[in-house]
């Protein structure tokens, strides 16, 4: 694409020297302890995709127990539970759901959005040569490794893994005697959580500084693509909410290790141990945990919302409908997100007046969420979408988000939540938002930005096959959970069928498990497609989607320092299909006008296209 003249401006000289420099540094500095945001982004991406497989395997363990409670677990059952005839024990089941949620939340969804895509995209989309603090960036990736190790130790603990769920409510999580896994496993778990927290914190400071300070000339805040707005707002959420969780995690660690009693009340007796001295407040943990973890659900969603907005616009060849309302509604979601944490605690015995306040503030979030949904639909409406993998995944994002958002409103309302709380209804809800929305957005984003990472496209056929199987498997697994929840099936029970009123749910649970297996299998297609296409995908140039944002003006893959010419930004990111245009339907942010763009295109030498 010849939209930039390869004149030697100040930056191009600078980036060429840097580029030359990278050839001299060795393999280890270049690919392992790299400070290049793109390498770090790809490191995050590959690590999180592998963690997704781990988290998926743990989930299949949970599903196995619920569908075939009396059958030995395949592959590992005989080895792990030889004394139980190969059947999953209740302690192991508890570890499975705790670690599944932990891995998926802290090692997959959060780092794949902020870590992988945030890192890869932010400097490229704002026309910068790297992050503001490249070394900090490198540390933010390397802090994930002890996190993975600590969570791994926690899982492999001989006393059974952590037993308190991903929410780690005390006193279960605070008293070592309270459950087999609450001994050392829970301590490892808290250390893992701390490392994840430090990693994210370093990332968020870096993102904020980079976006505020390093935008290309002409790239005003209201010319930023929505992906960057979303990353920016997410980084603010992280910077303000995360310290609360990290501090709470330290306090809980102190309760376990140094005998403090922040969360332990007096006089509790568990497993015949001496009564606790206490004086602390278990509810304090719930407040601190959810003060972070409600905003965290937006940390797990907003970046995907931003990326989907950009992808839908490009794929539909239309501007995003209502750009500024999109920015304002993301800000509103984030701002309100700090006021609603109590909706996770309606059944904790809180004063009904407070419950009412949290209920109203939670319902208010539905407004900006609805604005975004209608804007996505209006973006597609009247466009000329190509039904490719990217588009299909984005449409799945929007529709699954609607399902998840609507079940959220049921739970936001105190009278219904008192019934639904801790049933499978809530499990349905958060999987629709976290998997149905976020991960479909991520699958689209992988396909969409892959050509920038590796100068090749991923296979479209495999991409659509992966989408189709995942979509069917996903809905087969999670939709019935609404019915189980309404039917009163509690979450986190190793053997729900001891209650006769749940026996008739067994066949439905089996259907869900078969669907989950299908979905798990489909992820191998994604992994194969990803790895295969790095080497054998179809070669493409700088801008294979005819998109407008700055990253598509850089060479593919971008060298160290990113751009061959300092990008200058002339307008917003969504200039598509203007009725007055002839010749082509998009105008890149670096194109001064359509005339200049077409002239540059005509004057470009062919080898420039190929050399990218
Ligand atoms: C319209 C938007 C939403 C509303 C009204 C809403 C409402 C709620 C409520 C009231 C609960 C607590 C239910 C209970 O404990 O009984 C809840 C739980 C949850 N929500 Fe949402 N939600 C919304 C969007 C989201 C989004 C966007 C995500 C993630 C991306 C999300 C993830 C979760 C998770 C993970 C839980 C469960 C936490 C747990 O107990 O393990 N929600 N939601
Ligand atoms: Cu919440």
């Amino acid at each position: 694409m010849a939209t930039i003249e390869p004149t030697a401006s100040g930056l191009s000289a600078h980036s060429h020297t840097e580029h030359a420099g990278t050839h001299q540094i060795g393999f280890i500095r270049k690919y392992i302890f790299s400070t290049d945001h793109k390498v770090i982004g790809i490191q995050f991406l590959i690590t999180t995709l592998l963690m997704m497989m781990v988290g998926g395997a743990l989930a299949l363990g949970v599903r196995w127990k619920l569908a075939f409670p009396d059958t030995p677990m395949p592959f590992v059952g005989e080895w792990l539970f030889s004394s139980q005839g190969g059947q999953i024990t209740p302690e192991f089941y508890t570890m499975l759901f705790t670690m599944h949620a932990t891995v998926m939340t802290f090692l997959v969804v959060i780092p794949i959005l902020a870590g992988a895509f945030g890192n890869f995209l932010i400097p490229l989309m704002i026309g910068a040569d790297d992050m503001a603090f490249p070394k900090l960036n490198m540390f933010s990736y390397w802090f994930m490794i002890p996190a993975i190790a600590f969570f791994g130790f926690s899982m492999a603990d001989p006393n059974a893994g952590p037993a308190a769920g991903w929410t780690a409510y005390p006193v279960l999580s605070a008293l070592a005697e309270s459950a087999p896994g609450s001994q050392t496993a829970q301590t490892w778990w808290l250390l893992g959580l701390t490392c994840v927290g430090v990693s994210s914190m370093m990332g968020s400071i870096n993102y904020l500084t980079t976006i505020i300070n390093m935008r290309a000339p002409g790239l005003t805040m209201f010319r930023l693509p929505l992906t960057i707005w979303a990353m920016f707002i997410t980084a603010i959420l992280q910077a303000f909410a995360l310290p609360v969780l990290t501090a709470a995690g330290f306090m809980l660690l102190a309760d376990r290790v140094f005998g403090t009693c922040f969360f332990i009340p007096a006089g509790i007796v568990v497993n015949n141990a001496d009564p606790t001295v206490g004086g602390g407040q278990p509810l304090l943990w719930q407040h601190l945990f959810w003060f972070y973890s409600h905003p965290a659900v937006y940390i797990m969603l907003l970046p995907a919302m931003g990326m989907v907005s950009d992808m839908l616009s490009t794929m539909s060849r239309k501007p995003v409908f209502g750009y500024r309302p999109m920015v304002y509604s993301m800000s509103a979601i984030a701002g309100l997100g700090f006021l609603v944490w109590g909706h996770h605690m309606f059944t904790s015995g809180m004063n009904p007046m407070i419950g009412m306040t949290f209920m109203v503030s939670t319902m208010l979030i539905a407004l900006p969420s609805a604005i975004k949904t209608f804007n996505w639909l209006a973006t597609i409406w009247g466009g000329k979408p190509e039904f490719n993998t990217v588009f299909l995944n984005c449409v799945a994002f929007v529709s699954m988000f609607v399902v998840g958002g609507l079940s959220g409103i049921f739970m936001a309302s105190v009278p219904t939540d008192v019934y639904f709380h801790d049933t499978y209804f809530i499990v349905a809800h958060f999987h629709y938002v976290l998997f149905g929305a976020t991960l479909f957005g991520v699958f689209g984003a992988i396909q969409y930005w892959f050509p920038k990472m590796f100068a090749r496209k991923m296979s479209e056929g495999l991409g659509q096959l992966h989408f189709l199987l995942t979509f069917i498997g996903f809905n087969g697994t999670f939709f019935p959970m609404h019915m189980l929840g309404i039917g009163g099936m509690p979450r986190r029970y190793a053997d729900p069928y001891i209650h006769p009123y749940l026996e008739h749910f067994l066949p439905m649970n089996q259907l869900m498990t078969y669907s989950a297996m299908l979905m798990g299998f489909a992820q191998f297609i994604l992994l194969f497609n990803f790895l295969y296409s790095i080497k054998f995908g179809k070669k493409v140039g700088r801008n294979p989607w005819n998109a407008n944002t700055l990253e598509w003006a850089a060479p593919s893959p971008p060298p160290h320092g990113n751009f061959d010419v300092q990008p200058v930004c002339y307008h917003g990111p969504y200039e598509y299909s203007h009725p007055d245009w002839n010749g082509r339907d998009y105008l890149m942010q670096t194109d001064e006008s359509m005339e200049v763009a077409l002239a540059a295109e005509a004057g470009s030498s062919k080898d420039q296209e190929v050399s990218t």
Side-chain angles (χ1 to χ4, degrees), residues 166 290 297 301 344 408 411 417 421 426 429-430 433-434 491:
W166 81 284
W290 288 114
V297 305
L301 188 73
H344 296 272
M411 294 179 316
D417 184 66
H421 180 71
I426 174 179
H429 159 71
F430 64 70
V433 267
L434 284 177
R491 63 196 280 215

Side-chain angles (χ1 to χ4, degrees), residues 124-382:
L124 282 169
M125 290 182 105
I126 65 169
D129 54 357
D130 206 322
M131 286 284 180
F133 311 117
K135 283 226 172 67
L136 198 64
N137 210 15
M138 177 181 87
F139 285 126
S140 109
Y141 174 73
W142 284 101
F143 257 86
M144 292 300 287
I145 305 300
I148 293 171
F150 288 148
F151 284 139
F153 296 155
S154 161
M155 213 174 1
D157 195 283
N159 293 315
W166 81 284
T167 48
Y169 281 6
V171 291
L172 195 54
S173 59
L175 295 180
E177 302 83 9
S178 62
S182 291
Q183 294 170 9
T184 35
Q186 194 67 36
T187 307
W188 286 123
W189 188 90
L190 283 165
L191 286 171
L193 187 74
T194 309
C195 291
V196 171
V198 174
S199 160
S200 296
M201 204 111 69
M202 292 198 271
S204 63
I205 299 299
N206 216 348
Y207 298 171
L208 288 175
T209 318
T210 308
I211 296 172
I212 292 173
N213 279 336
M214 296 177 65
R215 281 168 285 126
L219 187 56
T220 56
M221 284 305 269
F222 280 107
R223 284 179 178 175
L224 284 178
L226 288 171
T227 300
I228 300 301
W229 264 111
M231 296 287 178
F232 184 67
I233 296 169
T234 303
I236 298 179
L237 281 180
Q238 259 178 341
F240 284 88
L242 199 59
V244 176
L245 181 75
T246 311
F250 268 124
M251 288 155 75
L252 190 51
L253 260 179
D255 276 6
R256 300 179 54 80
V257 182
F258 304 121
T260 55
C261 291
F262 291 112
F263 304 117
I264 305 172
I268 299 269
V269 179
V270 289
N271 277 334
N272 301 324
D274 294 338
T276 51
V277 184
Q281 263 291 350
L283 269 185
L284 175 62
W285 170 265
Q286 293 191 25
H287 281 290
L288 297 177
F289 181 84
W290 288 114
F291 186 80
Y292 164 75
S293 292
H294 184 80
V297 305
Y298 297 109
I299 294 172
M300 295 186 257
L301 188 73
L302 289 177
M305 285 180 154
M307 295 191 298
V308 164
S309 309
D310 283 346
M311 291 186 276
L312 276 180
S313 162
T314 309
M315 291 303 144
S316 311
R317 315 307 296 162
K318 272 188 63 197
V320 164
F321 185 89
Y323 169 82
R324 284 192 183 222
M326 287 298 232
V327 175
Y328 298 141
S329 37
M330 279 196 284
S331 315
I333 289 176
L336 285 170
F338 275 109
L339 306 177
V340 300
W341 78 93
H343 65 214
H344 296 272
M345 300 168 60
F346 287 149
T347 56
S348 67
M350 65 164 64
N351 181 323
M353 281 313 289
I354 301 180
M356 183 84 95
T357 322
F358 281 124
M359 166 169 129
V360 172
S361 55
T362 304
M363 291 207 174
L364 282 180
I365 296 194
L367 293 177
S369 307
I371 293 177
K372 297 196 68 73
T373 306
F374 287 117
N375 282 1
W376 286 315
L377 297 182
T379 303
I380 307 171
W381 187 259

Side-chain angles (χ1 to χ4, degrees), residues 389-401:
T389 309
V390 177
F391 184 76
L392 291 170
N393 276 298
C394 291
V395 173
F397 170 98
V398 177
S399 40
M400 298 298 96
F401 174 66

